[in-house]
Amino acid sequence: MPTSLADLPVRRLTLGDLTACADLSEDRGWPREEHKWGLLLASGAGYGIDAPEGKGLVAASVLTSYGPGLAAIGMVLVAERHSRQGVGRRVMRHLVAEAGDTPLTLHATPNGRPLYEELGFTVTGRAEMVCGHFRPSGSPAGVPTRPATADDLPAILRLDTEVFGLDRTPVLTRLPAFADQIRVAEDKNGIIGYAAAWPNMHTHVVGPLIARDTQTAKALVTSLAAGTDRPLRTDIDVRHEELLAWVKACGLEPVAFNDVMTCKIPALPGDWTRRFAPLTVAAG
């Protein structure tokens, strides 16, 4: 039997590992986020290392593929008792090898960034996490929104592929079961934006947030906030300065910054001007 961390194999995780992944999150002081882990393990490929003592995980991570054009790395976690022993580096090397020639992206905390740079990732963007109880401020955005229906899915997928730059159908078709709300904005020509709010611990996370312009994004956020009593949380591309200033004026407080990093590609594909927030930073 393996006796050192270096000998322990990296294996594929399944939905049966969901509780162990949530336990690992809690071990590192993160929220358990079982709902999010469920989506990631179902729509992506989880990888982990079993604890040598026979219970739980030493490490966990998820690789979400969007075909040959891009894969997102997320939830790279190492148990506190096994930290600073090269486990995170080993897991990351495994993920990079699994991806092969596929370009990669991830959202990096300040602590993780040096390792990712060592492995060939470069900073190509930044996102700011904000959270709080939303209080409408100023005049209404004036863009009509409504709840999404099953009939809207083809149009949502077409818009998302155009804006994201790649087909996210395998992930987004899980959104109706994952999110508590999905809303669309439209004009006379059809859907011009959509957004979801999904439950995460005591908050509702707004994401994805895809919109024709800032006014449309404001209308979608306002309509989602009207449907929940929970605090809203979201991660907004810092280039969307007007939206960030507006959500802060509406009661959301700054929490943290993450660097958007890429490997084997100079920048993310798609149209950033219409991509305001990701589904989750763990999946791009």
Side-chain angles (χ1 to χ4, degrees):
M1 295 290 291
T3 57
S4 71
L5 291 178
D7 294 327
L8 294 171
V10 178
R11 67 168 177 87
R12 279 290 298 269
L13 301 177
T14 71
L15 282 170
D17 295 298
L18 192 154
T19 298
C21 290
D23 289 344
L24 186 58
S25 292
E26 197 170 51
D27 174 78
R28 292 316 305 256
W30 290 19
R32 290 184 62 83
E33 298 185 309
E34 293 183 9
H35 188 60
K36 182 171 78 173
W37 271 113
L39 174 73
L40 295 172
L41 292 173
S43 59
Y47 295 91
I49 299 175
D50 290 311
E53 56 269 26
K55 183 179 180 181
L57 294 168
V58 169
S61 58
V62 178
L63 186 67
T64 303
S65 174
Y66 301 111
L70 188 70
I73 292 174
M75 306 303 283
V76 180
L77 285 165
V78 177
E80 178 65 33
R81 64 191 181 280
H82 297 298
S83 64
R84 295 174 291 279
Q85 298 179 50
V87 179
R89 179 177 289 100
R90 184 171 167 223
V91 169
M92 279 297 301
R93 289 189 183 280
H94 185 88
L95 295 172
V96 171
E98 285 290 321
D101 293 331
T102 301
L104 295 167
T105 185
L106 55 79
H107 282 67
T109 63
N111 287 338
R113 177 174 164 176
L115 170 60
Y116 305 141
E117 289 177 329
E118 176 187 321
L119 296 173
F121 286 80
T122 57
V123 175
T124 55
R126 206 176 194 209
E128 183 174 5
M129 180 191 296
V130 290
C131 184
H133 284 283
F134 181 90
R135 302 183 301 273
S137 176
S139 58
V143 179
T145 73
R146 60 170 174 80
T149 69
D151 291 339
D152 293 320
L153 185 57
I156 288 173
L157 293 175
R158 285 194 299 272
L159 175 63
D160 188 83
T161 299
E162 179 184 334
V163 174
F164 189 74
L166 295 162
D167 184 3
R168 290 198 286 183
T169 296
V171 176
L172 295 185
T173 50
R174 299 179 185 274
L175 202 54
F178 178 69
D180 284 345
Q181 296 185 70
I182 305 174
R183 296 190 66 90
V184 296
E186 57 189 349
D187 64 12
K188 63 181 180 180
N189 296 315
I191 291 176
I192 58 173
Y194 83 97
W198 50 271
N200 190 36
M201 309 301 289
H202 69 288
T203 69
H204 267 119
V205 176
V206 175
L209 176 54
I210 300 290
R212 179 176 64 186
D213 50 32
T214 302
Q215 286 301 104
T216 304
K218 290 179 179 180
L220 286 165
V221 172
T222 301
S223 64
L224 290 171
T228 179
D229 292 327
R230 298 186 186 187
L232 293 186
R233 199 186 94 192
T234 191
D235 298 87
I236 297 175
D237 186 321
V238 297
R239 290 173 290 188
H240 290 295
E241 296 178 358
E242 182 182 348
L243 185 67
L244 271 170
W246 175 78
V247 295
K248 292 173 184 177
C250 291
L252 275 62
E253 299 288 341
V255 177
F257 287 97
N258 286 318
D259 289 318
V260 180
M261 304 187 78
T262 58
C263 181
K264 306 171 193 172
I265 191 172
L268 290 176
D271 180 4
W272 75 264
T273 66
R274 292 183 287 166
R275 187 176 59 235
F276 288 83
L279 167 60
T280 163
V281 295

